[in-house]
Amino acid sequence: KVDLTDGRVIGAEALIRWQHPSRGLLPPGAFLETVMNSELELPMGRWVADAALSQLSKWRALGLDLILSINVSPLQLLQDDFLSDVQKRLENYPSLTPADLELEILESTAISEMSRAVDVILEGRKKGFRFSLDDFGTGYSSLAHFRQLPVDVLKVDRSFVQNMTENRQDREIVDSIVRLA
């Protein structure tokens, strides 16, 4: 993540890849659908958190002061012990605080269990965690939902952002979303 006003790198996003034995390095879209709603979803989410925190701790030791975003699945977010589990993992890295993390949720996750999602986000923010709403502008976008969710960051879906410098309609959509935010 880059601050466009001065070009500084201010953050990063942990994105899982799978080194498949015969197909090579696979992006999330090639395997996540199979993992979601399986017995692997929660262990994989915990592994991602551990790997991301370990990397962030190494960057911090090198003097890089970044915020790291971690995608959180719907099942993870709605677990009763979600926040305590993340805090417990964070305690293994004394140089890190909850404010160093941005927990990314999909808009569809929040909408399916709006009341529970809002409670988790509010509780997490009290503990110092940051939350972002990922892929905003696709699927279930609603101003009512947008107003209800107490997130810190709104991530406009890449289908609008990737062509906004060449496509006037995409630019106008992104501009409108930014103004609403």
Side-chain angles (χ1 to χ4, degrees):
K1 295 179 181 180
V2 177
D3 184 331
L4 294 178
T5 58
D6 61 13
R8 285 181 308 119
V9 175
I10 57 172
E13 181 177 356
L15 296 171
I16 191 169
R17 301 289 187 265
W18 177 24
Q19 185 63 50
H20 189 278
S22 60
R23 294 171 51 200
L25 191 62
L26 300 178
F31 63 90
L32 275 185
E33 194 172 296
T34 304
V35 173
M36 300 317 256
N37 299 314
S38 79
E39 70 276 358
L40 297 175
E41 182 175 348
L42 291 175
M44 185 182 73
R46 290 188 289 268
W47 179 86
V48 166
D50 286 334
L53 291 168
S54 174
Q55 182 62 59
L56 184 57
S57 178
K58 291 173 186 171
W59 286 336
R60 190 59 48 86
L62 294 172
L64 294 172
D65 187 20
L66 304 173
I67 293 174
L68 185 62
S69 299
I70 301 172
N71 290 290
V72 176
S73 79
L75 184 60
Q76 281 179 283
L77 179 72
L78 301 174
Q79 292 292 302
D80 289 337
D81 67 342
F82 169 67
L83 290 171
S84 61
D85 182 67
V86 176
Q87 277 188 298
K88 192 181 315 175
R89 291 173 192 292
L90 193 58
E91 289 170 5
N92 293 322
Y93 303 95
S95 65
L96 304 179
T97 69
D100 296 321
L101 295 180
E102 186 175 288
L103 304 172
E104 291 190 13
I105 60 171
L106 292 173
E107 186 177 12
S108 57
T109 302
I111 291 167
S112 68
E113 295 277 343
M114 181 63 77
S115 176
R116 176 74 182 123
V118 168
D119 289 346
V120 171
I121 293 169
L122 288 172
E123 182 183 342
R125 289 183 71 196
K126 285 180 191 172
K127 295 174 187 241
F129 291 104
R130 299 165 41 95
F131 286 85
S132 65
L133 190 58
D134 199 6
D135 294 340
F136 186 79
T138 61
Y140 303 102
S141 297
S142 161
L143 293 179
H145 295 135
F146 177 61
R147 182 180 62 197
Q148 286 179 289
L149 290 168
V151 295
D152 302 289
V153 175
L154 186 65
K155 290 183 63 182
V156 179
D157 187 74
R158 69 181 253 179
S159 64
F160 300 115
V161 176
Q162 68 187 7
N163 294 319
M164 71 180 187
T165 57
E166 293 87 30
N167 183 307
R168 187 175 66 82
Q169 287 178 316
D170 285 351
R171 185 170 46 256
E172 288 172 355
I173 289 171
V174 171
D175 181 62
S176 296
I177 292 171
V178 168
R179 290 174 190 274
L180 281 171

